[in-house]
Amino acid sequence: MGEAVESLNFIEHIIEEDLKKGYSKEQLRFRFPPEPNGYLHIGHASSICLNFGLGLRYNAPVNLRFDDTNPAKEEQEYVDAIKRDVEWLGFTWDTERYASDYFQQLYDWAVVLINQGKAYVDSQSSEEMASQKGTPTQPGIESPYRNRSVEENMDLFLEMKEGKHKEGSHVLRAKIDMTSSNMLMRDPIMYRVLHKAHHRTNTDWCIYPMYDWTHGESDYIEQVSHSLCTLEFAMHRELYDWFLDQVVESNKLRPKQREFARRNLSHTVVSKRKLLQLVESGVVNGWDDPRMPTISGLRRRGYTPNSIRNFADTIGIAKRENLIDVSLLEFHAREDLNKTAPRVMGVLNPLKVVLTNYEEGKEEWLDIENNPEDESAGTRQIPLSRDIYIEQEDFREEANRKFFRLKIGGEVRLKSGYIIKAESCTKDSEGNIIEVQCTYDPKSKSGSGTEESLRKVKGTLHWVSVKHALEAEVRLYDRLFTHESPDTQKDKDFMDYLNPDSLETITAYVEPGLKDVEVGDRMQFQRMGYFCVDPDSTTEKIVFNKTVGLRDTWAKIESK
Ligand code: ATP
Ligand code: MG
């Protein structure tokens, strides 16, 4: 047709088809429908980016709808956390809605169904009902209560609502078809009695609608055009449509349910229920523990909203489930932080170096760039003195020619400072190197323009001045699980695959200018990786989380 070919995902194709078939753009409306029974995780980010992304593409409203029909598991804390996370990801919802806003309307519609003989109160136990359900290849058996009179059903349903019955004594069921090949159509439950206070409706209700009865009708009330959910609801679509058939008026838009594949991330679990188990068992320190795949955990770890959105957009949406390697998420963190994070120097595993020909008591402040990738980021000053720390791994007493770091008789440049040469080292009684003695070349100062300053040496090391450095706590993280797919293994529980070494806490030394950092600040420790200031920081001690290393070292380790 001569139009620019743009790659659309299959959901966008469905919408484009609908637009061709007569939907107007103004009718498009979407929703993101979390149940407030936990914190959002990286899987939800896919659904958020999909729904809000469609909103942006079609300039259509997107509601944030809390699917709050189960007071036993839902809490205001989760509502607040979900709103914070969606906002932090950079999205704006049109209106904030709650399925509980519709409890009265849902009840009124249920009464209509009873009056039409399409719903009945079943007074059997859940075990009895389960035994009549049949199997996918065998039809079910009708309940002995299926043919109760409308009057009796109305009385009982009202009594259920008024709190006259115990939990589990009665349910309201849709009268559909006990022989349907779709088990979900075999008289599904619409309401159950629950004597539990709800975080919004308090004790107004003691009967609560089931997901299937609630979801489509909520979409209809909000006039959502495309109700996108994950594949496990594919079989529910027939029921979604049946429930809509009972209420849709011809002059109103009829919502459409369409399904896409759930996103799974390797070496973790993306299920609120399992994440809650990690929190409650104390394996992690809360929902926002930086090892958690929650949005709040990733934020605390140092991920940017951009990196999460770019990750979700890169993996896109699919019709089949698969496992996305967590290294792809880390790649996006690195890519975004590389552009934005200021560079600083911090030594994680300190080894003391004494510059023996550097005057004792002397100090000088050297100019250093804030971000070598970005000149406009400017420069700052860092102090040098006779005693400095370098990384232990940057020194070897002896090494071959490929080792470009410091060795006895060899030279390296101190980043933004001088060229130094290792002369000797001191060991403790166990043979561990505890100090290196070096000489420095006073004429070789970086940027001084002298011939010596232009002299090329192979290695450049980061360092900090011992007497100026700040002590900081650094938390290093590893995968939370040792298995790439911990929750799909036969005969094993995902908790069996916990990595006992997922957190290592060390003391590091960082340049003194960092004393004024704020919680959430992100930076690159040169040569070491990206780090972020943790809320546990105090005025006495800064706590850093390692977000991710500079390179993907994990792939190499695993293939060994
Ligand atoms: P969980 O098992 O973690 O509780 P859920 O699907 O029950 O997941 P909801 O709060 O009901 O969680 O989900 C809100 C929306 O996010 C739904 O449309 C759901 O399909 C979608 N979603 C949840 N998990 C994923 C995932 N891993 N990948 C893609 N979308 C997801
Ligand atoms: Mg759920």
Side-chain angles (χ1 to χ4, degrees), residues 414-480:
L414 295 179
K415 171 84 194 143
S416 299
Y418 297 93
I419 294 175
I420 63 170
K421 181 176 177 187
E423 309 285 355
S424 55
C425 64
T426 312
K427 294 179 190 166
D428 66 12
S429 56
E430 282 157 32
N432 302 310
I433 298 165
I434 50 170
E435 190 187 288
V436 182
Q437 294 85 35
C438 292
T439 50
Y440 85 110
D441 176 354
K443 296 201 191 99
S444 65
K445 185 167 149 183
S446 267
S448 63
T450 64
E451 209 175 298
E452 287 86 349
S453 74
L454 299 172
R455 192 154 65 84
K456 287 266 179 288
V457 289
K458 284 261 164 67
T460 300
L461 305 186
H462 65 279
W463 55 277
V464 291
S465 160
V466 171
K467 89 170 167 212
H468 299 91
L470 302 176
E471 213 178 271
E473 178 176 323
V474 172
R475 299 176 182 168
L476 305 170
Y477 301 102
D478 199 348
R479 312 289 198 242
L480 193 48

Side-chain angles (χ1 to χ4, degrees), residues 96 183 213 218 292:
E96 177 182 335
M183 302 264 295
W213 171 234
S218 301
M292 291 279 271

Side-chain angles (χ1 to χ4, degrees), residues 8-48:
L8 300 180
N9 64 43
F10 76 93
I11 296 285
E12 287 162 348
H13 276 293
I14 292 170
I15 295 169
E16 292 293 327
E17 277 305 303
D18 286 338
L19 287 171
K20 277 188 209 142
K21 282 190 213 139
Y23 276 58
S24 71
K25 271 202 170 158
E26 291 68 42
Q27 283 177 307
L28 297 182
R29 183 181 280 273
F30 307 95
R31 89 288 173 259
F32 171 63
E35 182 181 356
N37 62 346
Y39 282 55
L40 297 179
H41 51 63
I42 188 72
H44 292 111
S46 279
S47 175
I48 292 169

Side-chain angles (χ1 to χ4, degrees), residues 31-48 51 65 67 82 211 215 228-233 260-265 270-275:
R31 89 288 173 259
F32 171 63
E35 182 181 356
N37 62 346
Y39 282 55
L40 297 179
H41 51 63
I42 188 72
H44 292 111
S46 279
S47 175
I48 292 169
N51 285 294
R65 162 145 27 95
D67 227 323
I82 288 168
Y211 173 90
H215 204 88
L228 309 172
C229 61
T230 35
L231 278 177
E232 70 272 25
F233 292 102
F260 63 98
R262 207 166 252 280
R263 286 307 195 181
N264 302 306
L265 191 67
V270 280
S271 146
K272 281 177 280 178
R273 182 177 61 74
K274 291 172 192 158
L275 294 173

